[in-house]
Amino acid sequence: MTAIVFSSDGTLAPSEKGLVGMGILTEFYLLSIGKAKVFLRAGQMAELDARRAEVLGNAARTIQRQIRTYIARKEFIEIRKAAIVLQSHWRGILACQLYEQLRREAAAMKIQKNFRKYTARKSYLTVRLSAITLQTGLRAMVARNEFRFRKQTKAAIIIEAYLRRHLAYSYYKSLKKAALVSQCGWRQRVARRELRKLKMAARETGALKEAKDKLEKRVEELTWRLQFEKQLRTNLEEEKAQEIVKLQDALHAMQLQVEEANSRVLKEREAARKAIEEAPPVIKETPVMIQDTEKIESLTAEVESLKALLLSERQAAEEARKASADAEVRNVELVKKLEDAERKVDHLQESVQRHEEKLSNSESEIQVLRQQALTYVTNRKIFVCTRTPENGNIQNGELKVVPEMTVALSHSREPESEEKPQKSLNEKQQENQDLLIKCVSQNLGFSGGKPVAACVIYKCLLHWRSFEVERTTVFDRIIQTIASAIEVQDNNDVLAYWLSNSSTLLLLLQHTLKATGAASLTPQRRRTTSSSLFGRMSQGLRASPQSAGLSFLNGRGLSRLDDLRQVEAKYPALLFKQQLTAFLEKIYGMMRDNLKKEISPLLGLCIQAPRTSRASLVKGRSQANAVAQQALIAHWQSIVKSLNNYLKIMKANYVPPFLVRKVFTQIFSFINVQLFNSLLLRRECCSFSNGEYVKAGLAELEQWCYVATEEYAGSAWDELKHIRQAVGFLVIHQKPKKTLNEITKELCPVLSIQQLYRISTMYWDDKYGTHSVSSEVISSMRVLMTEDSNNAVSSSFLLDDDSSIPFTVDDISKSLQQVDIAEVEPPASIRENSGFGFLLPRSE
């Protein structure tokens, strides 16, 4: 029996009788197990040894097999590599031989190809030369034949044309002669009929004319009465207003009298009380026989109570007087203090406004400088730009390298030396603004068709970041400059100059300013914090008047201002845009009204031809008639001259064509209203010869529109549609043959029934003696007029002049092209100033 002994740590340990090898114990029969030993049966230990020897033998064989496999594979790999090297060398030799053979074959083929090409080209050139020679001869022969044929054909055509013309002319002459004969006969017949009708209607027309004259007089009387009644109404209203004022004054006087009466009543009461006080002694002194003791006692009690009341009221009155006196003194003192305080507040507000603007600018400068200093820290060193006190630019473009400790010390000393740079920077900004206003107040002219003043103002405002400032005075100063420039309303050159500048500046602002929610509200009375300024400055790092020296940090400044960027505008910028829009509309209205005033006297002369000239026109056509016709249109030519002068002025000042078109469109509308209303109100104007006179004048205006081109005239000619159709109706022949449908649909589609009825009833022909429309047409017009009056349609036949502004800011921005302000040269007065260096054009 064999025992297996366990060690104290729980591992197997060989006993005296046997060992267990390699930990291989699969199956065995235990006899018994003790605390430290295991007892086996007889023969089991030998079996375990045999199994151990078998396992060790298998492991040795496995190791030998793996080593032999490794050695054999290593020899195989070496042999394979050697075989591959040999094969590659042999294939290379074969490839070289094959390449040499192919190269020789290719060379031989190339030589053969070139030889064959040479021989083929030589034969082709000989054939080509012979073919060209033959073709040249044949083409020359064909061209000669073609030329000969065309020459003969041309001669035949000329002969045929002359013959046909002769035949057509002879036939035309015969037809013309026959037509003249037939027309003369027919006209004689028609004239005899017309003469009979005129003789028959002469008696009726006299009565009708008298009735028309009476009606016209009645209308004039009614209009005069209407105007008189209107004047009376205005006078009554003024008298009522005066009476109301008088009544108010009387009421005030009555109130004063009532107060005086009340004061008198109070005084009388006090006098009565005093009398009551003095009454008891008198009663005591008088020897009166008292019969009713009860009555005396009641009276004495009442007197005592009245005395007590009087004393209390006196005390209250004295206290009230003292209090009122003290209150009056206090009120006077408070009023004086309040006035002084209001004055001080006004001064303080002005000074605070100036200081806040200066502080905001200085803070923005300081924040930009600090941000740049922090962002350019490299290798514990900082690039610091030295600045001159005059312009704040870098001296000689040099950079100083300062250690970090020096910068820290400069930051620690910054509060001590901050006031002087701020003061100099604010003074520099104020000087730049003064110089800009002084420069803009002059006529700077134009550069490349663009107004220099508008471009300079926009560049400066954009560069100074004035659009993003909560409080600034530069906008008010610009508006005051424009207002002072246009005080002389009759100077059209100045008005056109500022109209061009204001429209261009407004276009630039429209494309640049972007309103925000905060900007649309009332501006706050508080400055923006340094953090917001710091954020805005650090995002864009765009140059400002105070930080012009930092433009090198961005690589380049505002060298390309044609790329307009959107800016979140604050309230002053939006208010400046509104004020500029108002001034643009004002200047436009002033120019339009000046032109209206200039042509208004001429329009009164253009509606009716002079009688002498009309008589010469009636007599017949002659050279004198041509001279009279030229004299007739002299007033129209004066109007055309005024229009040309205004057009020349606006072209010279580069006023946008959109505004020029609007001006002349409204002027032509004014001409249409004045002429048409005069035609309807004056019977002497509704004649045939006067219609020809007005038509000749309208032809002058049409010629002006053609010369001015559509770019500047626009749809101005279409605004004369009322007077054109009315004049066309006056000068047409055979009016009695026209139906109402033809008149309203073809001849005068724009005119109303009331207007057509008035023209038809007032028409008279002083040249050919023709009649107006037929009585059926007149009756139809009356029926339609009564229907219109029943339908509550306005029966007014006069036109109204529209003096409103016919455009908006959006219309201007849509119609005008983008303004390129990059290449605009600044004026000489600010070109040499270093503070305006950003205005100079820079190359990329």
Side-chain angles (χ1 to χ4, degrees):
M1 185 176 293
T2 305
I4 297 175
V5 182
F6 291 94
S7 61
S8 61
D9 56 355
T11 59
L12 280 174
S15 65
E16 299 176 355
K17 300 257 181 114
L19 295 173
V20 179
M22 303 297 291
I24 301 171
L25 183 60
T26 57
E27 293 180 358
F28 54 88
Y29 295 97
L30 300 176
L31 182 58
S32 61
I33 299 174
K35 291 183 180 180
K37 294 181 180 181
V38 176
F39 296 95
L40 302 176
R41 293 185 181 183
Q44 294 297 325
M45 194 66 190
E47 188 176 353
L48 290 175
D49 291 336
R51 289 189 179 183
R52 186 184 67 174
E54 184 180 356
V55 169
L56 291 176
N58 291 333
R61 283 193 294 273
T62 301
I63 293 169
Q64 291 174 1
R65 184 171 64 249
Q66 293 292 333
I67 290 174
R68 291 191 188 98
T69 301
Y70 171 74
I71 294 170
R73 181 168 178 78
K74 187 175 180 182
E75 292 177 356
F76 166 74
I77 290 172
E78 290 177 357
I79 294 169
R80 189 177 64 180
K81 285 182 180 180
I84 289 170
V85 171
L86 289 174
Q87 290 173 1
S88 63
H89 281 289
W90 181 247
R91 290 192 186 100
I93 293 169
L94 293 177
C96 290
Q97 292 177 359
L98 180 61
Y99 168 74
E100 185 66 23
Q101 182 181 357
L102 292 174
R103 190 174 65 82
R104 290 184 179 182
E105 290 178 357
M109 290 176 66
K110 192 171 183 180
I111 292 169
Q112 292 174 3
K113 180 181 68 175
N114 290 330
F115 182 73
R116 291 192 189 97
K117 182 176 71 174
Y118 171 73
T119 55
R121 179 168 180 78
K122 188 175 181 181
S123 60
Y124 165 73
L125 289 175
T126 55
V127 173
R128 181 171 175 268
L129 183 61
S130 59
I132 289 172
T133 303
L134 290 174
Q135 289 175 359
T136 303
L138 291 174
R139 286 173 183 153
M141 184 176 64
V142 171
R144 283 193 292 272
N145 293 335
E146 183 70 21
F147 175 72
R148 192 181 299 111
F149 173 75
R150 288 186 178 180
K151 191 175 181 182
Q152 293 174 359
T153 304
K154 185 176 181 181
I157 289 170
I158 292 171
I159 294 169
E160 291 174 355
Y162 275 99
L163 180 61
R164 291 192 185 98
R165 187 177 67 179
H166 175 70
L167 295 175
Y169 185 68
S170 60
Y171 180 68
Y172 164 73
K173 289 176 74 176
S174 62
L175 284 178
K176 183 179 179 182
K177 188 175 180 181
L180 288 173
V181 172
S182 62
Q183 286 176 359
C184 289
W186 178 256
R187 284 172 183 161
Q188 288 176 2
R189 187 176 178 181
V190 172
R192 290 192 188 96
R193 290 180 183 176
E194 291 285 339
L195 182 61
R196 292 193 196 98
K197 290 181 180 179
L198 288 173
K199 288 179 179 179
M200 294 293 290
R203 301 168 185 174
E204 299 177 359
T205 55
L208 291 174
K209 285 183 179 179
E210 291 178 0
K212 287 182 182 178
D213 294 335
K214 290 180 181 179
L215 289 174
E216 288 177 357
K217 290 180 180 179
R218 184 68 181 275
V219 170
E220 290 179 357
E221 290 177 359
L222 290 174
T223 54
W224 180 80
R225 286 180 181 177
L226 181 61
Q227 293 178 355
F228 183 70
E229 289 179 357
K230 288 182 179 178
Q231 189 174 3
L232 287 177
R233 287 181 182 177
T234 55
N235 294 332
L236 287 173
E237 289 178 356
E238 292 178 356
E239 290 176 358
K240 287 181 181 179
Q242 293 176 0
E243 288 179 358
I244 290 169
V245 173
K246 291 179 180 179
L247 290 173
Q248 288 179 353
D249 295 337
L251 179 62
H252 185 64
M254 291 295 292
Q255 289 178 354
L256 293 175
Q257 291 178 1
V258 169
E259 291 178 357
E260 291 177 358
N262 292 329
S263 62
R264 288 176 183 174
V265 169
L266 292 174
K267 290 179 180 179
E268 289 177 356
R269 288 180 180 176
E270 289 178 358
R273 288 174 183 173
K274 289 179 180 180
I276 290 170
E277 290 177 356
E278 295 172 356
V282 175
I283 293 170
K284 290 179 181 179
E285 291 176 359
T286 55
V288 179
M289 296 299 295
I290 299 171
Q291 296 177 357
D292 196 353
T293 57
E294 294 180 357
K295 189 174 182 179
I296 292 171
E297 289 176 356
S298 63
L299 287 173
T300 54
E302 287 179 359
V303 167
E304 293 296 332
S305 63
L306 288 173
K307 285 182 179 180
L309 288 172
L310 182 60
L311 290 173
S312 62
E313 287 178 357
R314 282 181 177 179
Q315 292 176 358
E318 288 177 356
E319 290 176 357
R321 287 175 184 175
K322 292 180 181 178
S324 63
D326 296 335
E328 287 178 356
V329 173
R330 291 175 184 175
N331 287 333
V332 171
E333 293 176 355
L334 288 174
V335 167
K336 291 181 180 179
K337 291 180 180 179
L338 183 61
E339 291 177 353
D340 296 333
E342 286 178 352
R343 293 174 186 173
K344 292 180 181 179
V345 165
D346 292 335
H347 292 298
L348 288 174
Q349 284 180 352
E350 293 177 356
S351 61
V352 166
Q353 191 173 3
R354 291 194 299 269
H355 287 302
E356 283 180 351
E357 185 178 355
K358 292 179 181 179
L359 285 174
S360 62
N361 294 329
S362 61
E363 283 181 358
S364 62
E365 169 64 13
I366 293 168
Q367 293 298 335
V368 170
L369 290 173
R370 289 179 180 175
Q371 179 65 14
Q372 294 298 327
L374 291 174
T375 53
Y376 280 84
V377 174
T378 54
N379 296 327
R380 299 179 64 82
K381 292 181 180 181
I382 297 177
F383 292 98
V384 178
C385 54
T386 60
R387 303 162 62 88
T388 60
E390 290 80 14
N391 55 8
N393 293 330
I394 301 170
Q395 293 180 351
N396 302 324
E398 296 178 355
L399 295 175
K400 291 184 179 180
V401 181
V402 184
E404 188 174 345
M405 184 61 69
T406 306
V407 176
L409 292 174
S410 65
H411 280 298
S412 63
R413 290 191 300 266
E414 186 177 6
E416 299 175 359
S417 62
E418 227 176 21
E419 297 178 359
K420 292 183 179 179
Q422 288 181 5
K423 185 176 180 180
S424 61
L425 290 172
N426 292 326
E427 291 176 355
K428 183 64 179 177
Q429 183 187 13
Q430 192 67 27
E431 291 176 1
N432 292 338
Q433 291 182 4
D434 295 338
L435 184 58
L436 174 64
I437 298 301
K438 182 179 178 182
C439 178
V440 168
S441 61
Q442 303 171 1
N443 191 342
L444 302 181
F446 302 86
S447 175
K450 294 177 284 293
V452 176
C455 298
V456 169
I457 290 172
Y458 175 75
K459 283 185 178 181
C460 292
L461 295 178
L462 188 65
H463 187 78
W464 295 341
R465 301 180 62 83
S466 300
F467 301 125
E468 303 174 50
V469 178
E470 290 283 353
R471 195 183 308 279
T472 181
T473 60
V474 66
F475 296 129
D476 295 333
R477 299 182 68 183
I478 293 172
I479 292 297
Q480 291 174 3
T481 302
I482 298 174
S484 61
I486 63 174
E487 286 179 354
V488 182
Q489 300 182 3
D490 297 331
N491 195 342
N492 293 318
D493 289 323
V494 175
L495 293 178
Y497 171 77
W498 282 109
L499 182 63
S500 177
N501 279 278
S502 59
S503 60
T504 304
L505 184 56
L506 186 61
L507 174 64
L508 295 171
L509 296 180
Q510 183 71 11
H511 287 286
T512 301
L513 299 186
K514 180 175 64 174
T516 58
S520 61
L521 302 175
T522 306
Q524 296 179 355
R525 299 285 299 172
R526 173 173 78 83
R527 291 186 294 111
T528 55
T529 58
S530 60
S531 62
S532 61
L533 273 171
F534 177 78
R536 291 206 311 269
M537 290 295 187
S538 61
Q539 286 176 4
L541 293 179
R542 291 180 288 269
S544 62
Q546 299 84 2
S547 59
L550 296 174
S551 60
F552 74 98
L553 298 173
N554 290 328
R556 62 189 182 99
L558 296 172
S559 61
R560 291 189 58 83
L561 285 169
D562 52 344
D563 299 329
L564 300 180
R565 54 184 176 83
Q566 290 287 323
V567 176
E568 290 187 0
K570 300 298 181 181
Y571 178 80
L574 298 177
L575 182 60
F576 172 68
K577 181 182 175 183
Q578 294 177 359
Q579 293 175 345
L580 189 63
T581 304
F583 269 95
L584 173 64
E585 295 175 354
K586 181 180 179 181
I587 297 170
Y588 172 89
M590 291 166 65
M591 290 198 67
R592 179 197 61 198
D593 295 338
N594 288 341
L595 184 54
K596 286 183 180 180
K597 291 177 183 177
E598 188 173 346
I599 66 175
S600 291
L602 299 173
L603 292 176
L605 302 173
C606 291
I607 189 59
Q608 186 179 5
R611 293 184 179 180
T612 56
S613 302
R614 214 183 323 170
S616 64
L617 285 174
V618 173
K619 290 179 182 178
R621 299 177 181 175
S622 62
Q623 187 176 2
N625 189 13
V627 175
Q629 182 71 19
Q630 192 69 21
L632 280 176
I633 62 174
H635 304 305
W636 291 96
Q637 289 178 349
S638 299
I639 293 176
V640 171
K641 185 178 179 181
S642 300
L643 295 176
N644 284 328
N645 290 336
Y646 269 73
L647 180 60
K648 184 178 179 181
I649 290 171
M650 287 190 280
K651 281 185 177 180
N653 289 278
Y654 296 97
V655 177
F658 173 77
L659 297 179
V660 179
R661 288 195 298 271
K662 292 296 182 182
V663 169
F664 288 118
T665 300
Q666 286 198 312
I667 292 300
F668 274 65
S669 176
F670 173 74
I671 294 172
N672 177 65
V673 170
Q674 295 297 320
L675 294 179
F676 187 75
N677 290 343
S678 300
L679 185 69
L680 295 181
L681 294 174
R682 298 166 61 182
R683 184 177 181 276
E684 60 269 19
C685 298
C686 292
S687 63
F688 190 94
S689 60
N690 198 70
E692 289 182 339
Y693 167 68
V694 177
K695 188 176 181 180
L698 293 177
E700 293 290 326
L701 294 181
E702 185 179 7
Q703 180 65 23
W704 180 86
C705 291
Y706 177 78
V707 174
T709 68
E710 189 177 358
E711 182 182 6
Y712 294 100
S715 61
W717 176 247
D718 296 333
E719 295 297 324
L720 300 175
K721 51 191 175 183
H722 290 85
I723 188 64
R724 283 163 50 198
Q725 293 183 9
V727 170
F729 178 76
L730 290 177
V731 298
I732 62 171
H733 297 280
Q734 299 179 355
K735 293 183 182 66
K737 295 183 180 180
K738 300 294 182 182
T739 63
L740 182 59
N741 191 20
E742 291 177 351
I743 294 172
T744 56
K745 297 295 174 58
E746 297 176 5
L747 296 177
C748 306
V750 178
L751 303 184
S752 63
I753 296 297
Q754 292 87 351
Q755 295 165 352
L756 288 173
Y757 176 78
R758 188 165 182 83
I759 295 173
S760 300
T761 54
M762 294 174 62
Y763 172 78
W764 60 287
D765 193 353
D766 56 346
K767 189 172 183 180
Y768 299 106
T770 59
H771 294 282
S772 183
V773 295
S774 61
S775 58
E776 291 82 5
V777 175
I778 295 293
S779 61
S780 300
M781 288 183 181
R782 288 175 181 170
V783 172
L784 292 174
M785 288 171 63
T786 54
E787 291 177 359
D788 292 340
S789 62
N790 294 331
N791 293 331
V793 179
S794 177
S795 60
S796 177
F797 50 83
L798 299 179
L799 299 178
D800 294 328
D801 185 23
D802 185 13
S803 299
S804 61
I805 302 299
F807 57 85
T808 60
V809 179
D810 293 332
D811 296 336
I812 296 175
S813 62
K814 291 176 182 177
S815 61
L816 300 184
Q817 298 179 354
Q818 184 69 29
V819 180
D820 184 9
I821 62 174
E823 300 300 326
V824 175
E825 290 288 338
S829 58
I830 62 175
R831 189 181 304 165
E832 303 299 331
N833 196 314
S834 59
F836 294 87
F838 58 89
L839 294 176
L840 299 174
R842 303 177 184 177
S843 60
E844 290 293 323

